């Protein structure tokens, strides 16, 4: 059974930082592309940052480039989202995701449909 356990959300003032963590079990983590998505009520879930299974390539949404950093530790089956210079518009429910299907190591999923497992979500609230 695949599980993605998310932690690290919370409330912070604008300009602050938070780090999200997502620990996976039940899949071959080192061969899985991982990502972070976010969703606000009434809107579709959108990709924030994704990282290849080998950790060598990342992709970011334009809204977070230069402020957020995605990383992974394959020895711990965990990937992270370091969020700096947070803005009120970053307020959302954040979800981690895994694509465990057979892919080349440089595969980088950028769409919701490319991920087959999801974490439970963690709320991030940024106040002005």
């Amino acid at each position: 059974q695949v599980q993605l356990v998310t932690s690290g959300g919370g409330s912070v003032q604008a300009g602050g930082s938070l780090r999200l963590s997502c620990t996976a079990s039940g899949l071959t983590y080192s061969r899985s592309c991982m990502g972070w998505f976010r969703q606000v009520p009434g809107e579709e879930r959108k990709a924030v940052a994704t990282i290849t299974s080998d950790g060598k390539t990342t992709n970011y949404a334009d809204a977070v480039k230069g402020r957020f950093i995605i990383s992974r530790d394959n020895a711990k089956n965990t990937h992270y989202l370091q969020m700096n210079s947070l803005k009120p518009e970053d307020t959302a429910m954040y979800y981690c995701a895994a694509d465990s299907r057979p892919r080349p190591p440089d595969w980088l999923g950028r769409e919701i449909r490319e991920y087959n497992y999801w974490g439970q979500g963690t709320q991030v609230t940024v106040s002005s």
Side-chain angles (χ1 to χ4, degrees), residues 61-118:
D62 288 344
V64 306
K65 281 181 180 176
R67 300 188 297 121
F68 290 14
I69 300 171
I70 186 171
S71 62
R72 64 189 293 160
D73 185 340
N74 284 359
K76 296 181 178 180
N77 284 13
T78 300
H79 71 291
Y80 307 93
L81 185 67
Q82 178 65 44
M83 304 185 292
N84 302 319
S85 301
L86 282 159
K87 303 176 180 180
E89 50 265 43
D90 295 318
T91 296
M93 185 71 75
Y94 284 71
Y95 297 90
C96 68
D99 175 13
S100 66
R101 288 166 286 204
R103 307 279 198 187
D106 60 348
W107 171 264
L108 189 59
R110 300 167 191 250
E111 306 290 337
I112 293 174
R113 59 182 173 81
E114 294 171 323
Y115 290 81
N116 56 341
Y117 293 107
W118 294 85

Side-chain angles (χ1 to χ4, degrees), residues 18-93:
L18 285 173
R19 188 175 84 152
L20 307 181
S21 300
C22 178
T23 300
S25 60
L27 51 73
T28 305
Y29 185 82
S30 62
R31 296 181 183 177
S32 300
C33 178
M34 307 301 290
W36 289 98
F37 292 73
R38 67 187 183 187
Q39 187 172 23
V40 297
E43 297 184 11
E44 63 180 13
R45 192 172 299 184
K46 299 177 182 177
V48 175
T50 55
I51 187 167
T52 53
S53 60
D54 61 8
K56 293 181 179 180
T57 304
T58 57
N59 184 70
Y60 296 92
D62 288 344
V64 306
K65 281 181 180 176
R67 300 188 297 121
F68 290 14
I69 300 171
I70 186 171
S71 62
R72 64 189 293 160
D73 185 340
N74 284 359
K76 296 181 178 180
N77 284 13
T78 300
H79 71 291
Y80 307 93
L81 185 67
Q82 178 65 44
M83 304 185 292
N84 302 319
S85 301
L86 282 159
K87 303 176 180 180
E89 50 265 43
D90 295 318
T91 296
M93 185 71 75

